[in-house]
């Protein structure tokens, strides 16, 4: 039974992590940065935020898994909430290139709303439905390809290059 519970927990963790990592978030006020910035700095900022999210998630889940499935899920969501909030804030503070400003603001709002729902323990909140499987979900292809080329060259994206792949 413990192995089944552990497998279920790991599967759920993987699914939720992929979903929450899909959208990107806002700042303390629930909005996002209104500044625009150069491509390279934007790429660095997003890769650093992704790297910190991964590190924070590893720390949050480094402890033992409770035997009770209810306790395991409760612990999971509590541990997951703060790293997602921190990622959301870091994303919201990044200065998007001019051609991505609207996309960035929309995406920042989605993750900010999702982070707030997680913090409040509202796992049926519609904000969580908007999440997908990519941290750059719905980014226009032209800017995404341009940023992907930059990400391949900057050290900040070696560990967590969110621009890799389709």
């Amino acid at each position: 039974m413990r192995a089944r519970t552990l497998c279920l927990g790991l599967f759920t963790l993987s699914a939720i992590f992929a979903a929450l990592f899909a959208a990107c978030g806002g700042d303390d006020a629930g909005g996002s940065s209104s500044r625009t910035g150069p491509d390279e700095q934007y790429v660095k900022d997003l890769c650093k935020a992704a790297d910190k999210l991964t590190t924070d998630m590893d720390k949050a889940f480094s402890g033992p898994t409770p035997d009770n499935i209810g306790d395991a899920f409760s612990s999971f969501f509590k541990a997951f909430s703060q790293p997602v909030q921190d990622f959301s804030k870091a994303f919201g503070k990044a200065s998007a290139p001019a051609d991505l400003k609207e996309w960035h603001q929309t995406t920042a709002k989605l993750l900010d709303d999702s982070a707030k729902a997680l913090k409040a323990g509202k796992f049926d909140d519609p904000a969580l439905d908007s999440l997908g499987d990519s941290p750059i979900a719905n980014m226009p292809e032209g800017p995404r390809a341009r940023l992907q080329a930059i990400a391949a060259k900057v050290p900040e994206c070696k560990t967590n290059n969110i621009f890799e792949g389709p």
Side-chain angles (χ1 to χ4, degrees):
M1 182 67 175
R2 174 123 167 97
R4 181 174 175 224
T5 302
L6 182 58
C7 288
L8 177 62
L10 290 174
F11 173 76
T12 303
L13 170 65
S14 298
I16 293 173
F17 181 70
L20 287 173
F21 196 60
C24 301
D27 62 13
D28 292 316
S32 67
S33 172
S34 60
R35 303 176 316 239
T36 58
D39 289 354
E40 187 172 328
Q41 188 60 51
Y42 186 67
V43 166
K44 288 178 179 180
D45 288 346
L46 293 187
C47 286
K48 282 191 250 181
D51 192 41
K52 184 176 182 326
L53 175 63
T54 300
T55 301
D56 290 351
M57 293 296 288
D58 288 346
K59 287 179 187 173
F61 296 110
S62 64
T65 302
D67 289 332
N68 177 293
I69 189 72
D71 292 343
F73 281 119
S74 177
S75 296
F76 167 77
F77 285 113
K78 286 177 185 174
F80 196 57
S81 180
Q82 190 62 50
V84 171
Q85 288 175 42
D86 293 344
F87 179 75
S88 174
K89 288 176 187 177
F91 182 89
K93 290 178 183 178
S95 295
D99 61 345
L100 286 174
K101 185 173 179 166
E102 185 177 330
W103 171 86
H104 179 86
Q105 290 174 335
T106 299
T107 305
K109 175 86 169 101
L110 288 172
L111 188 56
D112 186 56
D113 290 348
S114 298
K116 287 177 182 176
L118 279 174
K119 183 177 182 179
K122 297 179 180 177
F123 308 120
D124 60 346
D125 191 302
L128 298 174
D129 294 341
S130 66
L131 302 177
D133 61 359
S134 170
I136 56 171
N138 302 317
M139 181 183 277
E141 183 55 33
R144 189 198 63 76
R146 183 182 75 233
L147 298 178
Q148 181 181 21
I150 294 168
K153 299 175 186 175
V154 296
E156 290 83 355
C157 294
K158 284 199 184 289
T159 304
N160 283 304
N161 183 349
I162 61 172
F163 298 93
E164 285 181 334

